[in-house]
mmCIF file with all atom_site columns, all heavy atoms in Angstrom:
data_model
loop_
_atom_site.group_PDB
_atom_site.id
_atom_site.type_symbol
_atom_site.label_atom_id
_atom_site.label_alt_id
_atom_site.label_comp_id
_atom_site.label_asym_id
_atom_site.label_entity_id
_atom_site.label_seq_id
_atom_site.pdbx_PDB_ins_code
_atom_site.Cartn_x
_atom_site.Cartn_y
_atom_site.Cartn_z
_atom_site.occupancy
_atom_site.B_iso_or_equiv
_atom_site.pdbx_formal_charge
_atom_site.auth_seq_id
_atom_site.auth_comp_id
_atom_site.auth_asym_id
_atom_site.auth_atom_id
_atom_site.pdbx_PDB_model_num
ATOM 1   N N   . ARG A 1 142 ? 3.539  17.070 -7.129 1.00 96.00 ? 142 ARG A N   1
ATOM 2   C CA  . ARG A 1 142 ? 3.307  15.634 -6.963 1.00 96.00 ? 142 ARG A CA  1
ATOM 3   C C   . ARG A 1 142 ? 4.653  14.965 -6.745 1.00 96.00 ? 142 ARG A C   1
ATOM 4   O O   . ARG A 1 142 ? 5.646  15.317 -7.391 1.00 96.00 ? 142 ARG A O   1
ATOM 5   C CB  . ARG A 1 142 ? 2.628  15.016 -8.186 1.00 96.00 ? 142 ARG A CB  1
ATOM 6   C CG  . ARG A 1 142 ? 1.183  15.447 -8.367 1.00 96.00 ? 142 ARG A CG  1
ATOM 7   C CD  . ARG A 1 142 ? 0.299  14.892 -7.246 1.00 96.00 ? 142 ARG A CD  1
ATOM 8   N NE  . ARG A 1 142 ? -1.060 15.333 -7.340 1.00 96.00 ? 142 ARG A NE  1
ATOM 9   C CZ  . ARG A 1 142 ? -1.578 16.366 -6.662 1.00 96.00 ? 142 ARG A CZ  1
ATOM 10  N NH1 . ARG A 1 142 ? -0.805 17.096 -5.892 1.00 96.00 ? 142 ARG A NH1 1
ATOM 11  N NH2 . ARG A 1 142 ? -2.844 16.663 -6.762 1.00 96.00 ? 142 ARG A NH2 1
ATOM 12  N N   . ILE A 1 143 ? 4.657  14.003 -5.832 1.00 97.00 ? 143 ILE A N   1
ATOM 13  C CA  . ILE A 1 143 ? 5.869  13.232 -5.582 1.00 97.00 ? 143 ILE A CA  1
ATOM 14  C C   . ILE A 1 143 ? 5.578  11.758 -5.800 1.00 97.00 ? 143 ILE A C   1
ATOM 15  O O   . ILE A 1 143 ? 4.416  11.330 -5.794 1.00 97.00 ? 143 ILE A O   1
ATOM 16  C CB  . ILE A 1 143 ? 6.438  13.462 -4.161 1.00 97.00 ? 143 ILE A CB  1
ATOM 17  C CG1 . ILE A 1 143 ? 5.502  12.878 -3.089 1.00 97.00 ? 143 ILE A CG1 1
ATOM 18  C CG2 . ILE A 1 143 ? 6.720  14.933 -3.911 1.00 97.00 ? 143 ILE A CG2 1
ATOM 19  C CD1 . ILE A 1 143 ? 6.130  12.762 -1.719 1.00 97.00 ? 143 ILE A CD1 1
ATOM 20  N N   . ASP A 1 144 ? 6.652  10.997 -5.971 1.00 96.00 ? 144 ASP A N   1
ATOM 21  C CA  . ASP A 1 144 ? 6.554  9.550  -6.095 1.00 96.00 ? 144 ASP A CA  1
ATOM 22  C C   . ASP A 1 144 ? 6.822  8.967  -4.710 1.00 96.00 ? 144 ASP A C   1
ATOM 23  O O   . ASP A 1 144 ? 7.955  9.010  -4.230 1.00 96.00 ? 144 ASP A O   1
ATOM 24  C CB  . ASP A 1 144 ? 7.595  9.058  -7.102 1.00 96.00 ? 144 ASP A CB  1
ATOM 25  C CG  . ASP A 1 144 ? 7.560  7.559  -7.295 1.00 96.00 ? 144 ASP A CG  1
ATOM 26  O OD1 . ASP A 1 144 ? 6.958  6.846  -6.459 1.00 96.00 ? 144 ASP A OD1 1
ATOM 27  O OD2 . ASP A 1 144 ? 8.165  7.090  -8.282 1.00 96.00 ? 144 ASP A OD2 1
ATOM 28  N N   . PRO A 1 145 ? 5.784  8.440  -4.025 1.00 95.00 ? 145 PRO A N   1
ATOM 29  C CA  . PRO A 1 145 ? 5.974  7.960  -2.653 1.00 95.00 ? 145 PRO A CA  1
ATOM 30  C C   . PRO A 1 145 ? 6.953  6.791  -2.545 1.00 95.00 ? 145 PRO A C   1
ATOM 31  O O   . PRO A 1 145 ? 7.520  6.565  -1.482 1.00 95.00 ? 145 PRO A O   1
ATOM 32  C CB  . PRO A 1 145 ? 4.568  7.559  -2.203 1.00 95.00 ? 145 PRO A CB  1
ATOM 33  C CG  . PRO A 1 145 ? 3.769  7.422  -3.440 1.00 95.00 ? 145 PRO A CG  1
ATOM 34  C CD  . PRO A 1 145 ? 4.407  8.274  -4.488 1.00 95.00 ? 145 PRO A CD  1
ATOM 35  N N   . SER A 1 146 ? 7.198  6.090  -3.653 1.00 95.00 ? 146 SER A N   1
ATOM 36  C CA  . SER A 1 146 ? 8.134  4.970  -3.595 1.00 95.00 ? 146 SER A CA  1
ATOM 37  C C   . SER A 1 146 ? 9.585  5.446  -3.469 1.00 95.00 ? 146 SER A C   1
ATOM 38  O O   . SER A 1 146 ? 10.476 4.646  -3.177 1.00 95.00 ? 146 SER A O   1
ATOM 39  C CB  . SER A 1 146 ? 7.988  4.085  -4.835 1.00 95.00 ? 146 SER A CB  1
ATOM 40  O OG  . SER A 1 146 ? 8.456  4.759  -5.989 1.00 95.00 ? 146 SER A OG  1
ATOM 41  N N   . LYS A 1 147 ? 9.814  6.747  -3.652 1.00 96.00 ? 147 LYS A N   1
ATOM 42  C CA  . LYS A 1 147 ? 11.169 7.292  -3.574 1.00 96.00 ? 147 LYS A CA  1
ATOM 43  C C   . LYS A 1 147 ? 11.444 8.052  -2.285 1.00 96.00 ? 147 LYS A C   1
ATOM 44  O O   . LYS A 1 147 ? 12.430 8.773  -2.184 1.00 96.00 ? 147 LYS A O   1
ATOM 45  C CB  . LYS A 1 147 ? 11.428 8.211  -4.775 1.00 96.00 ? 147 LYS A CB  1
ATOM 46  C CG  . LYS A 1 147 ? 11.399 7.478  -6.103 1.00 96.00 ? 147 LYS A CG  1
ATOM 47  C CD  . LYS A 1 147 ? 11.694 8.421  -7.234 1.00 96.00 ? 147 LYS A CD  1
ATOM 48  C CE  . LYS A 1 147 ? 11.711 7.672  -8.565 1.00 96.00 ? 147 LYS A CE  1
ATOM 49  N NZ  . LYS A 1 147 ? 11.963 8.579  -9.693 1.00 96.00 ? 147 LYS A NZ  1
ATOM 50  N N   . THR A 1 148 ? 10.573 7.898  -1.286 1.00 95.00 ? 148 THR A N   1
ATOM 51  C CA  . THR A 1 148 ? 10.717 8.675  -0.052 1.00 95.00 ? 148 THR A CA  1
ATOM 52  C C   . THR A 1 148 ? 11.613 8.013  0.986  1.00 95.00 ? 148 THR A C   1
ATOM 53  O O   . THR A 1 148 ? 11.823 8.566  2.057  1.00 95.00 ? 148 THR A O   1
ATOM 54  C CB  . THR A 1 148 ? 9.346  8.977  0.571  1.00 95.00 ? 148 THR A CB  1
ATOM 55  O OG1 . THR A 1 148 ? 8.675  7.740  0.820  1.00 95.00 ? 148 THR A OG1 1
ATOM 56  C CG2 . THR A 1 148 ? 8.507  9.848  -0.352 1.00 95.00 ? 148 THR A CG2 1
ATOM 57  N N   . GLU A 1 149 ? 12.143 6.854  0.672  1.00 92.00 ? 149 GLU A N   1
ATOM 58  C CA  . GLU A 1 149 ? 13.142 6.187  1.506  1.00 92.00 ? 149 GLU A CA  1
ATOM 59  C C   . GLU A 1 149 ? 12.685 5.951  2.944  1.00 92.00 ? 149 GLU A C   1
ATOM 60  O O   . GLU A 1 149 ? 13.483 5.965  3.871  1.00 92.00 ? 149 GLU A O   1
ATOM 61  C CB  . GLU A 1 149 ? 14.455 6.992  1.473  1.00 92.00 ? 149 GLU A CB  1
ATOM 62  C CG  . GLU A 1 149 ? 14.990 7.192  0.073  1.00 92.00 ? 149 GLU A CG  1
ATOM 63  C CD  . GLU A 1 149 ? 16.130 8.199  -0.007 1.00 92.00 ? 149 GLU A CD  1
ATOM 64  O OE1 . GLU A 1 149 ? 16.677 8.590  1.044  1.00 92.00 ? 149 GLU A OE1 1
ATOM 65  O OE2 . GLU A 1 149 ? 16.473 8.584  -1.132 1.00 92.00 ? 149 GLU A OE2 1
ATOM 66  N N   . GLY A 1 150 ? 11.381 5.767  3.139  1.00 94.00 ? 150 GLY A N   1
ATOM 67  C CA  . GLY A 1 150 ? 10.858 5.476  4.470  1.00 94.00 ? 150 GLY A CA  1
ATOM 68  C C   . GLY A 1 150 ? 10.731 6.676  5.386  1.00 94.00 ? 150 GLY A C   1
ATOM 69  O O   . GLY A 1 150 ? 10.338 6.546  6.543  1.00 94.00 ? 150 GLY A O   1
ATOM 70  N N   . ALA A 1 151 ? 11.045 7.861  4.902  1.00 96.00 ? 151 ALA A N   1
ATOM 71  C CA  . ALA A 1 151 ? 10.994 9.068  5.736  1.00 96.00 ? 151 ALA A CA  1
ATOM 72  C C   . ALA A 1 151 ? 9.546  9.488  5.993  1.00 96.00 ? 151 ALA A C   1
ATOM 73  O O   . ALA A 1 151 ? 8.664  9.273  5.166  1.00 96.00 ? 151 ALA A O   1
ATOM 74  C CB  . ALA A 1 151 ? 11.759 10.200 5.063  1.00 96.00 ? 151 ALA A CB  1
ATOM 75  N N   . HIS A 1 152 ? 9.332  10.095 7.152  1.00 97.00 ? 152 HIS A N   1
ATOM 76  C CA  . HIS A 1 152 ? 8.031  10.685 7.497  1.00 97.00 ? 152 HIS A CA  1
ATOM 77  C C   . HIS A 1 152 ? 8.043  12.199 7.322  1.00 97.00 ? 152 HIS A C   1
ATOM 78  O O   . HIS A 1 152 ? 6.995  12.823 7.196  1.00 97.00 ? 152 HIS A O   1
ATOM 79  C CB  . HIS A 1 152 ? 7.650  10.358 8.940  1.00 97.00 ? 152 HIS A CB  1
ATOM 80  C CG  . HIS A 1 152 ? 7.100  8.991  9.120  1.00 97.00 ? 152 HIS A CG  1
ATOM 81  N ND1 . HIS A 1 152 ? 5.783  8.682  8.923  1.00 97.00 ? 152 HIS A ND1 1
ATOM 82  C CD2 . HIS A 1 152 ? 7.699  7.827  9.469  1.00 97.00 ? 152 HIS A CD2 1
ATOM 83  C CE1 . HIS A 1 152 ? 5.580  7.395  9.147  1.00 97.00 ? 152 HIS A CE1 1
ATOM 84  N NE2 . HIS A 1 152 ? 6.733  6.859  9.477  1.00 97.00 ? 152 HIS A NE2 1
ATOM 85  N N   . VAL A 1 153 ? 9.245  12.797 7.369  1.00 98.00 ? 153 VAL A N   1
ATOM 86  C CA  . VAL A 1 153 ? 9.405  14.252 7.231  1.00 98.00 ? 153 VAL A CA  1
ATOM 87  C C   . VAL A 1 153 ? 10.637 14.490 6.378  1.00 98.00 ? 153 VAL A C   1
ATOM 88  O O   . VAL A 1 153 ? 11.689 13.897 6.634  1.00 98.00 ? 153 VAL A O   1
ATOM 89  C CB  . VAL A 1 153 ? 9.583  14.927 8.605  1.00 98.00 ? 153 VAL A CB  1
ATOM 90  C CG1 . VAL A 1 153 ? 9.771  16.437 8.450  1.00 98.00 ? 153 VAL A CG1 1
ATOM 91  C CG2 . VAL A 1 153 ? 8.410  14.634 9.528  1.00 98.00 ? 153 VAL A CG2 1
ATOM 92  N N   . PHE A 1 154 ? 10.513 15.354 5.358  1.00 98.00 ? 154 PHE A N   1
ATOM 93  C CA  . PHE A 1 154 ? 11.667 15.608 4.511  1.00 98.00 ? 154 PHE A CA  1
ATOM 94  C C   . PHE A 1 154 ? 11.473 16.876 3.691  1.00 98.00 ? 154 PHE A C   1
ATOM 95  O O   . PHE A 1 154 ? 10.385 17.427 3.600  1.00 98.00 ? 154 PHE A O   1
ATOM 96  C CB  . PHE A 1 154 ? 11.956 14.419 3.582  1.00 98.00 ? 154 PHE A CB  1
ATOM 97  C CG  . PHE A 1 154 ? 10.780 13.953 2.765  1.00 98.00 ? 154 PHE A CG  1
ATOM 98  C CD1 . PHE A 1 154 ? 10.505 14.498 1.527  1.00 98.00 ? 154 PHE A CD1 1
ATOM 99  C CD2 . PHE A 1 154 ? 9.937  12.954 3.253  1.00 98.00 ? 154 PHE A CD2 1
ATOM 100 C CE1 . PHE A 1 154 ? 9.430  14.053 0.773  1.00 98.00 ? 154 PHE A CE1 1
ATOM 101 C CE2 . PHE A 1 154 ? 8.858  12.501 2.512  1.00 98.00 ? 154 PHE A CE2 1
ATOM 102 C CZ  . PHE A 1 154 ? 8.600  13.055 1.261  1.00 98.00 ? 154 PHE A CZ  1
#
Side-chain angles (χ1 to χ4, degrees):
R142 290 292 177 263
I143 68 166
D144 180 344
S146 69
K147 296 182 178 178
T148 58
E149 303 169 12
H152 281 275
V153 179
F154 53 89

